[in-house]
């Protein structure tokens, strides 16, 4: 596995039609060129050219229509969607965003019970339409309990909808908006579709200054027929959360794409800049920064791709993806910020120049941890899985790599969203014991100490009410499944042991950093502080290994990619 270079990537793991979609998309952006890409970005030009390309090639139709509703080549295939996510991130977050919001808007439709509307949606996708997800509100954000959008039944059995939605991407041009509301009589949750072209749909404004359109809109006695209803009651609630399960996974891939382009551009700059008689890449601290950036980026991709395997093989009995998905959203995107920071420390003022891709990347990378639930919300979710994951392993099947073309039916039939604490996991130690490397061994010792901490000095009653304390504990826990999936995928895809050991060099340092934060917390007990200090470890230093990784995998990427002008 390697980081994306759109000029050399062959997509051999995909079937011919999917491979062609990826190559045509790359060709669209390379033909557009960096100058026009940046001009449109700075001038906040709506990406009609991209949407016209998508329409002509029927790309969203092929990638986002489940097989049973689409024609030949249509399926919802997470593997190829990962590649498309990554490509769009590589060229610019606004292009990814319109795809992402379409995915969210489609979720309640494909998960709903309205078969006629599903057939209509398939036709709309074939015509090149985009979609929107009307969930959050100005005063309540994504607090679904407090939703004020109301659906009121009229004597003739139809309804009217009244209320506003806020931070709704694509809501200016969507064919349909999936709107979350409550029945004004019963307080029952309900999803229905609205047409932005209707006179009772008010497009208030774009609330951001960007190429994308993120709308505030209002519905004023908007007429809703039974044929517009997607789901009701608990099913509507589950559709909302399960849609986010599907959508938030994509944020990690957007980060991976952004970081890949930024890395290649940053490396080129550093490798050709001569300071004090040396090229920048000859300075030891630059070699460390860029190697850290590359290994973190590769780890992001290894984890996210392995998560796809768990998503594609999931069932009502095997829901391990419910832990790995928020990790892709939370951990991968925050690692993306770290990658950009590391590169920026190397290229310095170059990162502000308006004609670079990096100038855009440095801004856009910040948004991803803050979408589809904040880092804090996803961390609180992750903590619910901690007890079963660490202390109650179950017998579950080993999951193979799942690159083969297939429709991912389960994603639209995930079932009830309650009972997360009962989710079962296989023994994570199987992954860690399957590889014999010095830094993996040290990392395992850190995990063992974390387990001792949780058994012998668990959070006290007051600490369980302290969100900040639990977040730090969550950070410590999160690195364990993160490392597990990295190892699993490294073995599946024959990643060199030098690379894996170098990845765990930064993993040990991250584990130690979070332990120091726990130690420093004002409310941590003496016993917790004692264990926190034991977690703090130093990676095994191996200059020969580091040099091999630097020379063979990092520096060797210089001059391998530059976007067309």
């Amino acid at each position: 596995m390697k980081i994306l270079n759109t000029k050399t990537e062959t997509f051999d793991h995909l079937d011919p039609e999917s491979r062609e979609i990826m190559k045509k998309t790359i060709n669209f952006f390379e033909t557009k060129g960096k100058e026009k890409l940046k001009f449109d970005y700075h001038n906040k030009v709506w990406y009609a050219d991209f949407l016209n390309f998508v329409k002509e090639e029927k790309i969203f139709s092929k990638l986002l229509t489940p097989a049973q509703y689409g024609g030949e080549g249509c399926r919802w295939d997470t593997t190829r969607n990962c590649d498309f996510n990554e490509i769009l991130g590589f060229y610019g977050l606004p292009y990814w965003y319109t795809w992402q919001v379409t995915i969210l808007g489609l979720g309640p439709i494909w998960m709903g019970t309205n078969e006629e509307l599903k057939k209509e949606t398939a036709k709309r996708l074939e015509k090149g339409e985009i979609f929107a997800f009307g969930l959050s509100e100005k005063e309540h954000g994504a607090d679904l309990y407090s939703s004020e959008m109301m659906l009121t039944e009229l004597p003739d059995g139809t309804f009217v909808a009244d209320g506003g939605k806020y931070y709704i991407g694509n809501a200016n041009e969507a064919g349909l908006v999936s709107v979350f509301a409550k029945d004004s009589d019963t307080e029952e949750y309900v999803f229905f579709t609205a047409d932005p072209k209707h006179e009772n749909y008010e497009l208030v404004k774009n609330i951001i200054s960007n190429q994308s359109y993120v709308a505030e809109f209002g519905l004023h006695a908007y007429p809703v027929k039974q044929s517009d209803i997607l789901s009701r009651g608990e099913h509507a609630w589950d559709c909302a959360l399960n849609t986010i399960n599907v959508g938030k996974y994509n944020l990690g891939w957007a980060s991976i794409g952004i970081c890949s382009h930024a890395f290649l551009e940053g490396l080129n700059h550093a490798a050709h800049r001569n300071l004090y008689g040396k090229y920048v890449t000859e300075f030891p601290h630059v070699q460390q920064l860029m190697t850290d950036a590359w290994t973190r980026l590769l780890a992001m991709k290894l984890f996210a791709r392995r998560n796809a395997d768990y998503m594609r093989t999931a069932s009502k009995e095997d829901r391990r993806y419910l832990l790995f998905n928020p990790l892709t959203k939370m951990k991968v995107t925050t690692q993306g910020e770290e990658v950009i920071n590391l590169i920026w420390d190397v290229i310095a003022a170059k990162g502000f120049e308006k004609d670079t891709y990096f100038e855009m990347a440095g801004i856009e990378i910040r948004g991803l941890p803050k979408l589809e639930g904040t880092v804090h919300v996803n961390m609180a979710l992750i903590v619910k899985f901690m007890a079963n994951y660490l202390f109650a392993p179950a017998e579950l099947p080993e999951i193979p790599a799942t690159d083969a073309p297939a429709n991912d039916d389960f994603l639209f039939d995930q079932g009830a969203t309650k009972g997360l604490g009962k989710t079962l996991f296989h023994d994570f130690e199987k992954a860690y014991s399957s590889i014999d490397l010095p830094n993996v061994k040290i990392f395992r010792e850190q995990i063992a100490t974390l387990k001792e901490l949780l058994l012998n000095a668990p959070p006290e009653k007051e600490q369980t009410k302290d969100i900040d304390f639990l977040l730090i504990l969550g950070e410590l826990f999160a690195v364990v499944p993160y490392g597990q999936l990295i190892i699993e995928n490294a073995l599946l895809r024959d990643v060199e042991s030098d690379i894996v050991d170098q990845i765990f060099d930064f993993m040990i340092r991250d584990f130690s950093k979070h332990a120091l934060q726990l130690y420093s917390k004002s409310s941590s007990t003496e016993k917790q502080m004692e264990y926190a200090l034991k977690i703090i470890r130093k990676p095994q230093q191996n200059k020969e290994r580091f040099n091999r990784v630097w020379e063979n995998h990092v520096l060797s990427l210089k001059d391998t990619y530059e976007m067309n002008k």
Side-chain angles (χ1 to χ4, degrees):
M1 181 168 281
K2 55 189 182 296
I3 70 169
L4 178 64
N5 178 335
T6 55
K7 290 191 175 178
T8 59
E9 177 58 61
T10 59
F11 301 101
D12 287 343
H13 58 285
L14 298 178
D15 63 278
E17 184 180 31
S18 301
R19 195 179 306 139
E20 191 68 14
I21 288 172
M22 306 309 154
K23 290 184 175 181
K24 283 182 177 180
T25 304
I26 290 167
N27 184 62
F28 166 81
F29 285 108
E30 292 292 343
T31 301
K32 183 183 179 88
K34 188 193 285 190
E35 288 182 8
K36 185 65 166 67
L37 186 87
K38 293 303 302 282
F39 176 88
D40 287 355
Y41 178 77
H42 288 135
N43 290 279
K44 304 175 179 62
V45 176
W46 174 252
Y47 26 72
D49 58 344
F50 173 66
L51 294 177
N52 285 335
F53 160 73
V54 166
K55 178 180 179 179
E56 289 169 9
E57 299 294 338
K58 301 187 186 304
I59 290 178
F60 285 8
S61 175
K62 290 174 183 175
L63 298 183
L64 300 181
T65 308
Q68 61 268 41
Y69 298 105
E72 186 177 353
C74 291
R75 65 180 185 275
W76 196 292
D77 177 336
T78 298
T79 293
R80 68 179 186 175
N81 285 358
C82 291
D83 289 304
F84 196 69
N85 269 301
E86 190 178 17
I87 290 167
L88 295 186
F90 191 93
Y91 288 108
L93 197 65
Y95 304 95
W96 171 88
Y97 185 72
T98 195
W99 147 269
Q100 163 71 356
V101 178
T102 292
I103 286 173
L104 293 171
L106 290 169
I109 297 174
W110 299 137
M111 295 178 192
T113 56
N114 191 327
E115 289 299 313
E116 287 306 311
L117 202 44
K118 291 180 185 181
K119 293 173 185 176
E120 179 190 337
T121 296
K123 292 176 183 176
R124 287 176 176 270
L125 279 167
E126 192 171 15
K127 292 177 184 176
E129 292 187 6
I130 55 177
F131 290 75
F133 186 49
L135 189 72
S136 64
E137 297 183 0
K138 188 171 185 178
E139 301 302 325
H140 309 294
D143 175 8
L144 306 191
Y145 295 105
S146 303
S147 179
E148 293 183 19
M149 174 70 75
M150 290 296 165
L151 197 66
T152 302
E153 187 169 6
L154 301 177
D156 64 358
T158 63
F159 306 85
V160 289
D162 291 278
K165 292 292 181 180
Y166 197 79
Y167 220 94
I168 311 303
N170 284 356
N172 58 324
E173 292 287 346
L176 292 174
V177 183
S178 298
V179 183
F180 184 79
K182 287 181 182 176
D183 187 301
S184 61
D185 292 326
T186 65
E187 293 286 301
E188 182 181 48
Y189 300 113
V190 59
F191 255 118
F192 65 92
T193 58
D195 180 358
K197 297 178 184 62
H198 195 281
E199 61 184 1
N200 295 44
Y201 178 107
E202 179 193 5
L203 187 64
V204 179
K205 62 179 178 179
N206 188 354
I207 62 173
I208 65 169
S209 178
N210 191 272
Q211 276 184 271
S212 300
Y213 199 108
V214 183
E216 177 183 1
F217 75 81
L219 300 182
H220 309 293
Y222 180 94
V224 178
K225 304 184 294 295
Q226 284 287 354
S227 58
D228 299 322
I229 304 293
L230 298 170
S231 54
R232 279 187 167 277
E234 281 192 31
H235 185 212
W237 175 270
D238 291 338
C239 285
L241 298 185
N242 287 333
T243 292
I244 294 169
N245 282 342
V246 174
K248 69 184 176 185
Y249 169 75
N250 299 325
L251 277 78
W253 281 100
S255 290
I256 292 165
I258 290 171
C259 290
S260 298
H261 194 156
F263 179 86
L264 293 169
E265 185 181 66
L267 180 64
N268 288 350
H269 170 70
H272 291 283
R273 188 163 177 79
N274 195 293
L275 296 175
Y276 312 111
K278 285 185 176 183
Y279 288 106
V280 169
T281 45
E282 294 179 53
F283 291 102
H285 73 286
V286 169
Q287 294 175 3
Q288 181 67 57
L289 289 166
M290 294 302 283
T291 301
D292 260 12
W294 182 82
T295 49
R296 286 180 187 274
L297 175 52
L298 189 67
M300 290 159 61
K301 190 166 183 176
L302 285 166
F303 178 86
R305 182 66 80 174
R306 184 60 176 151
N307 183 7
D309 297 337
Y310 285 95
M311 289 174 68
R312 302 196 71 191
T313 57
S315 65
K316 299 284 173 61
E317 294 73 38
D318 185 352
R319 303 202 301 166
R320 286 174 276 184
Y321 74 104
L322 291 176
L323 166 60
F324 305 141
N325 265 29
L327 275 170
T328 301
K329 183 266 173 277
M330 177 276 293
K331 185 73 175 174
V332 172
T333 60
T334 52
Q335 283 291 292
E337 288 188 290
E338 182 66 20
V339 169
I340 293 297
N341 290 342
L342 289 163
I343 301 166
W344 213 334
D345 281 346
V346 173
I347 67 173
K350 187 73 176 178
F352 295 101
E353 293 185 13
K354 67 179 182 179
D355 59 349
T356 63
Y357 173 85
F358 194 93
E359 178 250 359
M360 184 165 65
I363 296 168
E364 303 291 4
I365 199 71
R366 308 299 174 196
L368 292 161
K370 300 164 183 65
L371 298 175
E372 320 325 338
T374 62
V375 170
H376 312 88
V377 167
N378 281 274
M379 187 64 79
L381 177 62
I382 287 163
V383 169
K384 293 182 180 180
F385 302 106
M386 187 159 60
N388 273 2
Y389 178 91
L390 289 175
F391 299 108
E395 288 296 324
L396 290 169
E398 289 189 18
I399 303 300
T402 54
D403 290 347
N407 194 69
D408 296 338
D409 297 326
F410 177 74
L411 293 181
F412 302 102
D413 186 26
Q414 297 175 56
T417 54
K418 55 190 176 184
L420 298 181
K422 296 179 181 178
T423 304
L424 300 177
F425 300 91
H426 64 291
D427 187 356
F428 68 89
E429 286 286 3
K430 289 182 179 179
Y432 285 103
S433 62
S434 66
I435 194 163
D436 184 19
L437 292 170
N439 282 326
V440 174
K441 181 180 178 183
I442 295 170
F443 194 78
R444 289 182 70 186
E445 292 167 358
Q446 290 177 298
I447 296 171
T449 306
L450 173 63
K451 291 178 70 173
E452 288 177 23
L453 185 158
L454 293 168
L455 286 171
N456 301 324
E460 297 181 343
K461 187 176 180 180
E462 285 304 309
Q463 290 175 326
T464 61
K465 300 175 185 176
D466 181 350
I467 297 298
D468 189 48
F469 182 89
L470 292 179
L471 287 174
I472 294 171
L473 204 59
E475 289 280 12
L476 280 164
F477 167 57
V479 296
V480 184
Y482 194 66
Q484 174 204 332
L485 265 62
I486 289 168
I487 290 173
E488 288 180 1
N489 213 9
L491 292 173
L492 284 169
R493 301 182 189 275
D494 297 321
V495 177
E496 291 178 25
S497 58
D498 275 353
I499 295 171
V500 177
D501 210 35
Q502 193 63 43
I503 285 173
F504 276 86
D505 180 287
F506 81 74
M507 292 282 286
I508 291 167
R509 288 182 273 130
D510 285 358
F511 214 152
S512 300
K513 178 184 73 175
H514 299 317
L516 179 60
Q517 290 171 330
L518 181 68
Y519 176 87
S520 304
K521 190 81 176 77
S522 59
S523 61
S524 56
T525 66
E526 289 295 326
K527 197 73 173 173
Q528 289 165 348
M529 291 165 66
E530 180 183 328
Y531 281 113
L533 287 178
K534 285 180 65 180
I535 291 172
I536 297 173
R537 300 288 298 275
K538 182 177 181 178
Q540 185 186 87
Q541 303 303 306
N542 184 323
K543 191 171 182 179
E544 290 74 23
R545 180 200 68 224
F546 177 89
N547 287 339
R548 287 193 297 270
V549 172
W550 163 249
E551 291 170 7
N552 298 336
H553 301 285
V554 184
L555 186 61
S556 63
L557 294 175
K558 75 172 183 176
D559 298 331
T560 59
Y561 175 81
E562 185 173 346
M563 187 173 178
N564 292 352
K565 291 183 178 181

